[in-house]
Amino acid sequence: MTVNGYAMVAQVRHRELKTRIGLAAFITLTAWFLTQSFWPMAWFGAVVATQVLDWFVFRPLRLHPTREPTTRYKVALCATAAINVIVYSGIAAWLWVAGGEPGRLFAIIQVAGGLLHVSLHMHHVRPLLFSAVIPHSLYFLGLPVLGAVVDQRPEELLISVGGVLYMMHLVVTVRQSSMTTTALQAANTEARVERRKAEVASAAKSDFLAVISHEIRTPMNAVISAANLLRRTRLDREQREHVSMLLDAGDVLVGLLNDVLDFSKIEAGKMELESSVMDLREKLGSLGRLWQPRASANGVRLKIQIDPDVPDFIRTDPLRLQQMLFNLLSNAVKFTEDGSITVLVEWQAADSRLVVSVVDTGCGIPSARLVHIFDSFAQVDASTTRKFGGTGLGLAISRKLAEIMGGSLTAESVEGRGSTFTLSLPVEFVAQETTQTRRKAEVQAGLEGRVILAADDHAVNRRILTLLLEPHGCRIVLVENGAEAVEAARTQRFDAILMDMQMPVMDGLEATKRIRAGGLNQRTPLIALTANAMDVHRSAWDETGVHAFLTKPIDLVLLAATLTEACAARDEAQGAAA
Ligand code: ADP
């Protein structure tokens, strides 16, 4: 939308209407004081009348700022501006004649001010500028000439000469201002165009990442799962080492993929947070169990100290909190060669804040680098990548996540002594967890004897699911697309359903909706198992009432745990219904 010059003047005039009337009132009082006459009051009435006229004539421009005015309308606008100036500065003529010396001084200053005002506000619309400047100039230069002739005081002509000099300065100033305004407008337009281009490019980047992530996840899933299966077969030492290398490299690639995706989501402002109840002590315990062996392998002690005031259950985004703590612990383990790592967990009841400090006695960070470690792709020294891997994205993502969640992540460190990273997050305190969730956390029944429907169009993925899950004692019924899944769900009751997203014939979302619409498996827990890791997909699944959402490559432990929990939830729901 481009606003035309006339409309810009209309907006400024409207904004300054009250100021003009206020000034007129002040001038009226001054003129009355100087001349003790009734005329200044009459003048004030005339000013108000011309301001009302001005308001009406400029109004259509204010209402439709993008509409180009017709020639007739432009003439009306210019005439209004001229009438306005003629009346407004009319008081100067009266003061020149009847106000004596002070009146003349006041009059000339007032007209000079008026001239400056219209020149600066109307310079980008020449016809309006001339309509306002000409009457002002006539007063400004004409009054001293008139005085010189009528009062026979030729020395007053000098005032006109001064007036000419003033107007020359004014022309230079206005031209400069006009050039600056034009340059500013051009820069604004360019900035708008560039911003639009950047938005389009950013959207294209997000789409590209979604596609790439899907395309990489599918084969990665096959590689990691196949390597997992291979590890369980009889292997000699060398083969075992090769498989470990495969799995380690796979983990690094998945980590990298997740980091890049998270980072681009945060950059695009598309990071969506979830909110659910989290068993804090349980989560911290499992984090400890995960990192303990790696720390002890380096001869480092890992301690988790939880203040007694810390609540058992909190409401937050559990996945993101875990991600941040995981990153801090992984760094602490990476950069601590001896000594200890302590995770201190505290509760600030006053503002319902969870404060987690990860304190290590590792190599520390030089103070000059400390300010940069939260920048993206920043590592303390280039050899870090060669020695430990990593991208330098972990802390940047963690800090951004903490900020999005309303908290902060800070670091203190002494080189050679160790580092302390402090995460402070506002979280909701959940007083007493419902017995149902507590029971859920306790349910540890296996998958023995369960019957699970799995829909996936890739033969390799179907094979992998069977090989991964059947050792848990469950039976897997495999189908190749959504339509087959709906058909299977119509005839047989399942304990849980695993559903891929993109499949030929009928996709996973549609199949899920149909299964949820009625029949034997209307309430069977359904787990979306997909290579689409973007939040848009997650929300599409959430709308179908899916029980859980897992991304590929399949994490066997997580898959088994989610299935076990889903089956237990189904048993509980059935028990409650019975
Ligand atoms: P990455 O670990 O993937 O390289 P991060 O953003 O997590 O990326 O960390 C950035 C850098 O900050 C690391 O490469 C390391 O140099 C430094 N760093 C992070 N945590 C620690 C720590 N606990 N002790 C010493 N240096 C650390």
Side-chain angles (χ1 to χ4, degrees), residues 501 509 513 535-546 549:
M501 186 165 185
L509 278 172
K513 279 182 208 149
D535 284 331
V536 267
H537 302 122
R538 194 180 281 252
S539 51
W541 278 109
D542 282 344
E543 277 164 28
T544 62
V546 76
F549 180 92

Side-chain angles (χ1 to χ4, degrees), residues 446-452 466 468-476:
L447 289 172
E448 191 72 44
R450 304 284 189 186
V451 187
I452 291 157
T466 315
L468 286 178
L469 290 173
E470 281 190 348
H472 288 263
C474 53
R475 190 161 68 80
I476 310 289

Side-chain angles (χ1 to χ4, degrees), residues 28-37 40:
T28 306
L29 281 177
T30 312
W32 175 80
F33 176 74
L34 287 172
T35 63
Q36 305 289 312
S37 154

Side-chain angles (χ1 to χ4, degrees), residues 259 327-328 330-336 358 360 362-365 373-375 377-381 384-385 388-398 413 418-421:
D259 275 0
N327 178 240
L328 296 182
S330 120
N331 279 344
V333 169
K334 232 196 282 186
F335 297 105
T336 308
V358 179
D360 68 55
C363 63
I365 302 163
I373 54 162
F374 293 102
D375 297 349
F377 304 106
Q379 294 187 319
V380 166
D381 79 77
T384 305
T385 318
F388 301 109
T391 51
L393 274 178
L395 286 177
I397 294 173
S398 296
S413 186
S419 319
T420 300
F421 285 82

Side-chain angles (χ1 to χ4, degrees), residues 10 46 56 69 100-101 113 124 126-127 129 142 209 221 239 260 284 291 332 385 474 478 485 496 502 514 527 570:
F56 272 111
E101 268 318 300
H124 42 285
R126 289 284 152 83
L129 176 72
L209 278 171
N221 181 36
Q239 286 168 327
V260 172
L284 288 165
W291 288 102
T385 318
C474 53
L478 293 164
Q502 283 171 359
R514 293 199 187 191
I527 296 162
R570 179 177 169 279

Side-chain angles (χ1 to χ4, degrees), residues 444-513:
Q444 275 305 324
L447 289 172
E448 191 72 44
R450 304 284 189 186
V451 187
I452 291 157
L453 173 66
D456 199 310
D457 57 327
H458 284 270
V460 180
N461 289 350
R462 290 198 299 275
R463 175 109 186 95
I464 286 169
L465 280 175
T466 315
L467 290 169
L468 286 178
L469 290 173
E470 281 190 348
H472 288 263
C474 53
R475 190 161 68 80
I476 310 289
V477 176
L478 293 164
V479 292
E480 295 180 20
N481 60 51
E484 286 182 14
V486 175
E487 182 54 29
R490 207 175 54 77
T491 50
Q492 185 181 351
R493 192 188 292 276
F494 293 100
D495 291 297
I497 300 172
L498 292 172
M499 185 72 80
D500 188 23
M501 186 165 185
Q502 283 171 359
M503 290 184 286
V505 187
M506 184 190 290
D507 68 24
L509 278 172
E510 181 58 32
T512 304
K513 279 182 208 149

